[in-house]
Amino acid sequence: MLDDAARRRLAAERRVHSVYEHELVRYRARIQAIRVRRDRARAGHRWWAWLKLSLSGWRERRRIPRPPVPAAGHTDLEEKLIAGIEGERLVAAGLGRALDDDWTLLHGYRNRRGEIDHLLLGPRGLFAIEVKNLNATVYIDGDRWRADKYDNYGNLVEQRPIADRKGRSPSVQLNEPADELERFLRQRGQPVLLQRVVVLAHRRSRLGHARRATVRVGTSAGDVLALIGDSPGGQLDRSRRAEVLRLIEHDHAFHDKRGRARSR
């Protein structure tokens, strides 16, 4: 998504520059045409025409097209995606430091219902992790999420719903592909309870009132580790983990290929 956003920005910049170059060529052609007519008027001693063309050339020179202003870095969408990637990296690094080689972390799994930032597979089960890098206090009421942002003096300066481009809150955004993955594994003889957690990874993220939340919510990788610790051990032995991993990778590859084909 970040690559696509960057390509769209660069394509837009190229279009703007192309328009500028076209206008510049037309401007130079107009100046040259006026200059030729002015010189002919002078050669023919048509002084009144020469004066008018001289003034016309002066006015035209003042209309030189302005070069486009270079873009000031990334677009808002790119900044948002970069922040999200950084949040995911922080969570992955925290899990990597705490868990041993019995655990596998899969990044960016996707199926027909959406994407999951991380899937964590280990002896205590399978965990779906959605990461949000929000500099805000988050309030939850069921599947409705809201972000409140305060200034340094504690004044509320922004209040907005938290939703993706489809209007889904983080819990819906996680539960839809997680439900689909559970169904897929069950149909293939590997029924696994997929535990779900949304991590608010920004260092200034705060969790406000949370009512009837449909997923676990935490503010660090430590909250994921606490969820793992609360889960009973021995749920998935090594052979089952290998089969679940194979199925997940196969399912992701299928849907990733279809998604790329649709985006062309």
Side-chain angles (χ1 to χ4, degrees):
M1 290 175 66
L2 181 59
D3 288 343
D4 288 342
R7 280 194 292 269
R8 288 195 295 271
R9 170 173 54 83
L10 293 174
E13 291 175 359
R14 286 194 295 269
R15 286 194 297 271
V16 170
H17 190 74
S18 178
V19 170
Y20 165 70
E21 292 288 347
H22 179 68
E23 290 298 323
L24 194 60
V25 168
R26 293 179 61 190
Y27 162 79
R28 289 169 176 165
R30 291 194 300 270
I31 293 292
Q32 181 61 24
I34 292 172
R35 183 179 293 122
V36 169
R37 291 170 60 199
R38 183 201 62 191
D39 292 345
R40 286 176 179 172
R42 181 178 181 179
H45 303 290
R46 292 181 286 113
W47 303 114
W48 181 242
W50 171 84
L51 178 59
K52 287 198 299 183
L53 288 166
S54 296
L55 291 173
S56 179
W58 175 79
R59 286 194 298 267
E60 191 64 44
R61 281 192 293 271
R62 297 185 64 186
R63 296 173 185 166
I64 183 170
R66 294 183 179 180
V69 178
H74 300 106
T75 63
D76 290 343
L77 175 59
E78 287 176 281
E79 293 289 356
K80 182 179 178 180
L81 291 171
I82 290 170
I85 291 170
E86 176 61 17
E88 293 170 19
R89 187 194 65 78
L90 289 173
V91 172
L95 295 174
R97 287 191 295 268
L99 299 175
D100 60 24
D101 290 342
D102 286 334
W103 291 85
T104 299
L105 185 67
L106 301 172
H107 175 70
Y109 162 82
R110 70 188 297 180
N111 60 31
R112 67 185 184 90
R113 300 300 300 278
E115 297 187 13
I116 298 175
D117 290 334
H118 298 302
L119 284 174
L120 183 63
L121 176 65
R124 291 181 177 269
L126 181 61
F127 301 83
I129 306 166
E130 179 72 20
V131 180
K132 296 299 178 186
N133 202 40
L134 299 169
N135 178 11
T137 300
V138 176
Y139 296 88
I140 302 170
D141 186 1
D143 283 324
R144 292 197 299 269
W145 291 52
R146 189 186 83 231
D148 288 3
K149 191 169 183 178
Y150 298 86
D151 63 18
N152 293 332
Y153 302 99
N155 301 309
L156 180 64
V157 295
E158 182 184 8
Q159 190 173 72
R160 61 179 177 84
I162 305 172
D164 65 6
R165 288 179 292 180
K166 297 180 180 179
R168 302 179 303 174
S169 68
S171 54
V172 176
Q173 193 177 344
L174 178 59
N175 281 327
E176 287 188 349
D179 289 343
E180 178 68 15
L181 177 56
E182 273 192 347
R183 183 196 62 78
F184 171 79
L185 293 173
R186 183 172 60 252
Q187 290 179 344
R188 282 151 183 80
Q190 293 295 335
V192 178
L193 174 63
L194 184 51
Q195 302 192 65
R196 298 100 186 266
V197 57
V198 174
V199 178
L200 307 174
H202 195 282
R203 61 186 180 87
R204 293 183 179 175
S205 288
R206 299 291 183 271
L207 181 60
H209 300 301
R211 300 174 56 247
R212 300 176 298 151
T214 60
V215 295
R216 288 278 291 266
V217 185
T219 55
S220 70
D223 292 297
V224 181
L225 297 172
L227 176 60
I228 293 171
D230 292 341
S231 303
Q235 290 193 44
L236 296 174
D237 59 26
R238 189 179 298 275
S239 62
R240 279 202 69 196
R241 294 200 302 272
E243 179 60 15
V244 170
L245 177 61
R246 185 190 69 80
L247 288 171
I248 291 173
E249 290 178 332
H250 175 78
D251 188 46
H252 168 77
F254 172 77
H255 289 286
D256 187 55
K257 183 177 180 180
R258 290 187 64 185
R260 291 179 185 277
R262 284 195 298 268
S263 64
R264 288 173 185 166

